[in-house]
Amino acid sequence: MNIRRTLLHLLLLLVATTALAQTDNDHNFEVKKNLDVFNAIYKNLDMIYVDTLDAGEVIGTGIKAMLRSLDPYTEYYPEENMKELKEIYTGKFAGIGALIRYNTKIKRVVIDEPYEGMPADVAGLKKGDIILSIDDSSMIDKSVSYVSEHLRGDPGTSFILKIQRPTTGKKMQMKITRKTIQTPSVPYYGMQEGDIGYIHLRQFTEGCAKEVRNAFIELKEKGMKGLVFDLRNNGGGSESEAVQIVNIFVPKGKLIVTNKGKLKRSNIEYTTKMEPVDTVMPVVVLVGESTASASEITSGALQDLDRAVILGTRTYGKGLVQTSVDLPYNGSLKLTSNKYYIPSGRCIQAINYKHARGGYTEHIPDSLTKEFHTAGGRIVRDGGGIMPDVVVEPDSLPNIAYYLASSGTDSTEVMLDYEVDYIARHATIAPASEFEISEADYEEFKQRVMASGFTYDPETEKYLKQLVKLAKFEGYYDDAKDEFDRLEKKLTHNLSKDLDYNKPQLKKILASDIVAAYYYQRGAIANSLRGDKQMEKACQLIHDTEEYSKILRP
């Protein structure tokens, strides 16, 4: 009986092995066949096609189309674009250290915000300065990308920059030496009211965990009793840095994230390696819809380990890991190689990428997500990002603010002009955390907007026009014409009324932009916390120890 059973097992194993080998052979044949076809097509195009082809461009287009059918994170970097890939991983580049933007009104690229202590700042460049030329190359009528490319270069190289200051009309030129620029991963941290510390992490670049650890230790030495850790608008980055940041708050030896892919050697488990700084202090992590990747590993691991309360709105849902592969001729392929799984065992990837028909996406519905459990038994779910423990919606940006702040084709740039003039008139302003636009200042801004010819499309008018069009199509419009006319009058665009109604949000935007010119990004962040609903709720939660504990240990 045992012999028969053994023979049966061997037979089944042989059948399975044969089927697997057949599948591998079929796959390998399909790969070879299609590569041969692609090679033959291009050879014939190169020999016979009526025009001479640029091999790099034509084959490059084919490569891009192939990768586009996979997912948005798999990208090819030829040799000439390798600097761009390096910047992604390190956050470093060589240039003058300033944000630039296109001013639609004057059709020129202008300085928007110099970084603190960087060459642009040291040279005295200001918000609104018009870039006229770089060395002997005119920058007039050039795009932002063109100007940016010329401002960047190798560290230590110098150039002559010619600008015009809009508030005085004076033209100036200066010699600027390019420097390796790395925007701070932690642009701002500090103590808030009630012994609460705040750390804002912008991105997960090399060394950011050390910055967060040092900031945390410094705040703790200043008497911090609870921490608000801000990961809103943080698109992620280094996975290992995320693990090190979690390690600040959880003991050594904890499994934080597991990578699983097709190749066994790429299956990696990341555990905490160091002794933590603090495992008991209340921590609230702020997240939002732009919180992604390494930010989700950090917030998700702290949630799964019941170490922090997650507050805000559902995160992006990127549960994929990318790996770089060297290619011939000094190129590189950044490709999706793994999915990652946080301590509860869940993967929070929100989108399934399908490769048929040139590639398409499927969002995973909540009904198909599965239950997992935190260390303390709380229910969490996979697929669809990290769902906060406490949901607090942020203030939405009013439609008029989007049009005032944008530099679209119809923009009057009245907001930018007002801010540049305000900065020119004020040598100093109040401390960043206290500064606000006065009622008199806002009234001046309002009058300038009214006189500028600024227009925008209110969403209500757009929807009304669509409704009228649909009513006419379905034959209801004639019977409801009087009601439509009355509704149109009530929804008539009134710029003065809109500026008054949206005054609180517009004052905050103006204040943040102006503060950045005096106190840089750290000041803009400190100022933005005034009236921040999510921040206020986080502080309230830390002070209410009973509610905080109830969330983590229901």
Side-chain angles (χ1 to χ4, degrees), residues 20 33 91 101 104 349 403 428 510 536:
L20 184 61
K33 181 183 80 171
R101 59 167 286 181
T104 310
Q349 176 65 20
Y403 282 90
T428 60
L510 288 167
E536 289 175 357

Side-chain angles (χ1 to χ4, degrees), residues 415-476:
M415 178 174 276
L416 175 63
D417 289 346
Y418 174 80
E419 291 168 355
V420 169
D421 289 345
Y422 186 100
I423 294 164
R425 295 197 311 265
H426 296 81
T428 60
I429 61 171
S433 60
E434 301 172 14
F435 177 78
E436 61 181 353
I437 296 294
S438 69
E439 290 297 313
D441 289 333
Y442 185 77
E443 183 60 29
E444 180 194 344
F445 170 71
K446 174 184 172 181
Q447 295 307 319
R448 289 179 67 157
V449 174
M450 300 281 290
S452 69
F454 169 79
T455 59
Y456 77 105
D457 298 325
E459 289 296 308
T460 48
E461 286 187 14
K462 286 184 182 179
Y463 282 109
L464 179 60
K465 288 176 182 177
Q466 291 176 10
L467 183 60
V468 168
K469 186 177 181 180
L470 186 61
K472 286 180 178 179
F473 176 76
E474 296 186 345
Y476 299 123

Side-chain angles (χ1 to χ4, degrees), residues 276-543:
V277 179
D278 192 304
T279 60
V280 295
M281 181 183 293
V283 178
V284 175
V285 182
L286 301 183
V287 298
E289 61 182 11
S290 298
T291 302
S293 187
S295 293
E296 292 175 298
I297 292 174
T298 302
S299 54
L302 291 171
Q303 184 179 54
D304 284 358
L305 297 171
D306 298 307
R307 179 59 188 91
V309 171
I310 313 303
L311 186 149
T313 55
R314 186 191 295 215
T315 63
Y316 182 81
K318 181 178 182 287
L320 305 175
V321 180
Q322 282 68 50
T323 302
S324 289
V325 178
D326 292 335
L327 296 178
Y329 304 101
N330 303 313
S332 187
L333 178 65
K334 178 169 70 70
L335 61 93
T336 299
S337 56
N338 306 77
K339 288 183 176 180
Y340 70 75
Y341 299 81
I342 48 181
S344 63
R346 56 182 170 144
C347 176
I348 51 85
Q349 176 65 20
I351 299 173
N352 284 330
Y353 293 101
K354 302 296 184 178
H355 313 313
R357 305 194 303 274
Y360 64 98
T361 60
E362 289 181 351
H363 284 263
I364 300 170
D366 288 343
S367 59
L368 295 182
T369 59
K370 299 183 182 68
E371 280 189 7
F372 291 80
H373 294 88
T374 69
R378 296 186 298 141
I379 294 174
V380 288
R381 307 191 74 88
D382 66 357
I386 304 296
M387 178 58 74
D389 303 307
V390 179
V391 176
V392 178
E393 296 286 341
D395 286 323
S396 58
L397 184 70
N399 196 34
I400 189 173
Y402 170 79
Y403 282 90
L404 281 168
S406 71
S407 56
T409 53
D410 299 326
S411 173
T412 61
E413 300 287 7
V414 62
M415 178 174 276
L416 175 63
D417 289 346
Y418 174 80
E419 291 168 355
V420 169
D421 289 345
Y422 186 100
I423 294 164
R425 295 197 311 265
H426 296 81
T428 60
I429 61 171
S433 60
E434 301 172 14
F435 177 78
E436 61 181 353
I437 296 294
S438 69
E439 290 297 313
D441 289 333
Y442 185 77
E443 183 60 29
E444 180 194 344
F445 170 71
K446 174 184 172 181
Q447 295 307 319
R448 289 179 67 157
V449 174
M450 300 281 290
S452 69
F454 169 79
T455 59
Y456 77 105
D457 298 325
E459 289 296 308
T460 48
E461 286 187 14
K462 286 184 182 179
Y463 282 109
L464 179 60
K465 288 176 182 177
Q466 291 176 10
L467 183 60
V468 168
K469 186 177 181 180
L470 186 61
K472 286 180 178 179
F473 176 76
E474 296 186 345
Y476 299 123
Y477 179 74
D478 291 338
D479 292 339
K481 186 177 184 306
D482 291 341
E483 286 84 351
F484 274 118
D485 288 342
R486 284 196 293 271
L487 185 58
E488 185 176 8
K489 287 179 181 177
K490 288 185 177 180
L491 298 179
T492 298
H493 180 42
N494 185 324
L495 182 57
S496 177
K497 181 180 176 182
D498 291 344
L499 288 167
D500 288 338
Y501 180 78
N502 294 294
K503 179 164 63 172
Q505 293 96 323
L506 291 173
K507 285 179 70 175
K508 281 195 71 173
I509 294 170
L510 288 167
S512 180
D513 288 348
I514 289 169
V515 162
Y518 296 87
Y519 301 107
Y520 307 96
Q521 268 300 301
R522 56 184 168 81
I525 295 168
N527 185 265
S528 70
L529 298 178
R530 293 168 57 90
D532 183 330
K533 290 195 305 185
Q534 294 174 329
M535 180 65 180
E536 289 175 357
K537 178 60 180 177
C539 293
Q540 174 196 326
L541 196 56
I542 289 172
H543 286 139

Side-chain angles (χ1 to χ4, degrees), residues 129-155:
D129 284 348
I130 304 162
I131 299 174
L132 301 178
S133 66
I134 298 172
D135 283 334
D136 296 327
S137 299
S138 172
M139 295 295 120
I140 295 173
D141 296 326
K142 303 299 183 183
S143 66
V144 169
S145 60
Y146 182 90
V147 175
S148 176
E149 184 181 339
H150 283 71
L151 288 173
R152 294 189 179 193
D154 294 326

